[in-house]
Amino acid sequence: VCFPDKQRPEQSAQQSAENREVVRRIEEAFGPDTIRYFEVGAELDAKLWTKNTRLALFRAVDVLLNCAMKDGLNLLPFEYIHTKHSQQASGVVVLSEFVGCAHVLNGCVRINPFNLEHVVEQLDAALSMPPSERAARLSKDHSFVASHTTRTWLHVAVQDMRRTAALHASGEASSSRPTLALCSFGSEMRAGQQL
């Protein structure tokens, strides 16, 4: 499923044409049942792209591939992980290194979407990954998803905003307490450490 970029319609149309050409070549080489490609707003009416539709799709697919060049907080990988875990199935998330959640989902396979050969290699690795490794990666990420809910993130963000507003109102904004990391990022950042 592909989402058009409404902010960059010309680039989105060009990318759509490239995607459709790749899909055509895959179907030509391996048969029409090898790949399914849908664009929200084209083959798939945007009104029909509901939470239930997404979750049903996530139940059916083995790999979630996100090749975004830049993206903020994208919750789809979190939904995919939770859906697969809840049905006790394995799945693999292949994420662009430029997507915000790629830094916290340590079980995902990271890709650089500008390096097509790397994307193909990692997608092949994800598709041929043994079920035990898929399950281990999914379990690792589900631990994070389950313990860092949207409610948790929202609670921390609202607390920070209230604290900052109060400090600003009292004239102490320059001496505010530092924001703390919610989770660990590699070896450089640990949960609870000042940002």
Side-chain angles (χ1 to χ4, degrees):
V1 176
C2 185
F3 299 91
D5 186 346
K6 295 176 184 173
Q7 304 297 326
R8 299 173 197 85
E10 297 83 21
Q11 288 176 319
S12 188
Q14 180 183 355
Q15 187 63 52
S16 173
E18 289 176 20
N19 291 349
R20 291 179 186 285
E21 175 57 22
V22 169
V23 168
R24 185 194 66 73
R25 291 192 334 244
I26 291 170
E27 288 177 337
E28 188 177 276
F30 301 102
D33 294 329
T34 306
I35 189 169
R36 297 282 187 260
Y37 178 79
F38 301 98
E39 282 187 24
V40 173
E43 293 86 3
L44 185 61
D45 186 344
K47 294 175 189 166
L48 298 176
W49 184 246
T50 64
K51 179 171 58 173
N52 289 338
T53 306
R54 276 195 321 272
L55 298 179
L57 177 66
F58 291 161
R59 287 179 59 101
V61 300
D62 295 321
V63 174
L64 174 72
L65 173 64
N66 182 324
C67 292
M69 304 299 184
K70 61 180 178 177
D71 202 354
L73 180 59
N74 182 337
L75 297 177
L76 295 179
F78 295 98
E79 288 181 358
Y80 176 81
I81 290 164
H82 190 70
T83 300
K84 288 304 213 180
H85 186 268
S86 68
Q87 74 181 78
Q88 297 180 337
S90 63
V92 181
V93 177
V94 180
L95 284 180
S96 164
E97 62 190 28
F98 304 114
V99 175
C101 61
H103 302 284
V104 296
L105 296 177
N106 295 319
C108 77
V109 174
R110 288 183 190 82
I111 57 167
N112 178 342
F114 293 105
N115 183 341
L116 186 57
E117 287 180 24
H118 178 70
V119 172
V120 171
E121 289 170 4
Q122 295 304 315
L123 186 55
D124 183 52
L127 289 168
S128 59
M129 191 176 287
S132 60
E133 184 178 349
R134 284 182 182 207
R137 286 174 173 270
L138 191 73
S139 178
K140 184 178 193 179
D141 284 341
H142 186 263
S143 296
F144 178 84
V145 171
S147 63
H148 293 82
T149 64
T150 305
R151 183 179 179 156
T152 305
W153 289 91
L154 181 60
H155 179 71
V156 170
V158 169
Q159 274 185 322
D160 278 350
M161 286 187 275
R162 285 183 178 152
R163 181 178 47 82
T164 303
L167 289 171
H168 183 68
S170 70
E172 299 177 33
S174 62
S175 63
S176 65
R177 291 186 341 225
T179 302
L180 303 179
L182 287 175
C183 57
S184 300
F185 295 97
S187 61
E188 297 134 20
M189 183 65 63
R190 294 283 170 231
Q193 182 178 344
Q194 292 182 6
L195 294 178

